[in-house]
Amino acid sequence: MKYIAIIEGQEIPLDEAIAQDDNTLKTAISVYFPEYANAEIERQTTDDTISIRLVKKAGTKGSQFRGLKNSFEEINPALKLGWQIKLLEINSQINLENLITLQPEIDKAIKLGQSWETYSEKVAQSLKQQPAITSNYPVL
């Protein structure tokens, strides 16, 4: 019997000892294709050949992306505040009294901006720690 692994359109001949056990196969393949360490395996027998198709499982990067994608869209409060202050300046209304009135909004914008920054850094670090996975989409 011949054994052939099919990975990303490539046909790779395999030794029977490696091809017969899914865990051994995943271990051997993941040396060259780390993104297939947790792949699903589909076997098909044709004549004297067993074709073994490895299909990548989605990793955790997708869940991070979904979280970002599903987050609501909002203009950064610091930008809104900057525009308000610029408008005061354009209308020659920038003075200490108006700035003191804006102080609660300034404090709120700073706190919210810091929490956004913390969240963005957390997501960025999480994405950096995920293994690289090639896309199934064709390059245009």
Side-chain angles (χ1 to χ4, degrees), residues 1 11 20 23 25-26 29 35 37 48 51-52 56 69-70 82 92-94 96 103 108 121 125 136:
M1 231 3 145
E11 291 187 2
Q20 286 184 338
N23 289 329
L25 175 60
K26 288 178 187 180
I29 291 297
E35 63 272 21
D48 68 337
S51 299
I52 306 168
K56 290 183 283 187
K69 185 178 177 193
N70 293 335
S92 300
Q93 295 175 339
I94 197 158
L96 186 57
Q103 191 60 47
K108 182 180 174 183
E121 287 174 4
Q125 287 303 317
N136 289 332

Side-chain angles (χ1 to χ4, degrees), residues 19-36:
Q20 286 184 338
D21 179 64
D22 287 357
N23 289 329
T24 305
L25 175 60
K26 288 178 187 180
T27 301
I29 291 297
S30 67
V31 170
Y32 303 100
F33 297 94
E35 63 272 21
Y36 286 89

Side-chain angles (χ1 to χ4, degrees), residues 83-96:
W83 294 330
Q84 277 183 282
I85 293 171
K86 187 65 175 173
L87 187 60
L88 288 174
E89 181 184 11
I90 290 169
N91 293 325
S92 300
Q93 295 175 339
I94 197 158
N95 56 42
L96 186 57

Side-chain angles (χ1 to χ4, degrees), residues 6-104:
I6 301 171
I7 302 173
E8 297 183 16
Q10 299 179 51
E11 291 187 2
I12 303 166
L14 296 173
D15 184 76
E16 182 176 355
I18 293 172
Q20 286 184 338
D21 179 64
D22 287 357
N23 289 329
T24 305
L25 175 60
K26 288 178 187 180
T27 301
I29 291 297
S30 67
V31 170
Y32 303 100
F33 297 94
E35 63 272 21
Y36 286 89
N38 297 316
E40 291 181 20
I41 296 177
E42 302 169 357
R43 297 173 188 271
Q44 182 178 3
T45 305
T46 311
D47 299 326
D48 68 337
T49 303
I50 296 178
S51 299
I52 306 168
R53 184 173 305 279
L54 285 89
V55 180
K56 290 183 283 187
K57 285 186 180 177
T60 56
K61 281 188 179 183
S63 65
Q64 292 291 338
F65 177 73
R66 278 190 294 280
L68 288 172
K69 185 178 177 193
N70 293 335
S71 60
F72 59 95
E73 294 181 26
E74 182 179 350
I75 294 175
N76 186 319
L79 291 175
K80 288 165 72 174
L81 193 56
W83 294 330
Q84 277 183 282
I85 293 171
K86 187 65 175 173
L87 187 60
L88 288 174
E89 181 184 11
I90 290 169
N91 293 325
S92 300
Q93 295 175 339
I94 197 158
N95 56 42
L96 186 57
E97 183 181 341
N98 285 337
L99 291 176
I100 290 172
T101 303
L102 287 175
Q103 191 60 47

Side-chain angles (χ1 to χ4, degrees), residues 64-65 68 118-128:
Q64 292 291 338
F65 177 73
L68 288 172
T118 301
Y119 176 74
S120 297
E121 287 174 4
K122 184 178 171 183
V123 170
Q125 287 303 317
S126 175
L127 289 172
K128 287 177 187 177

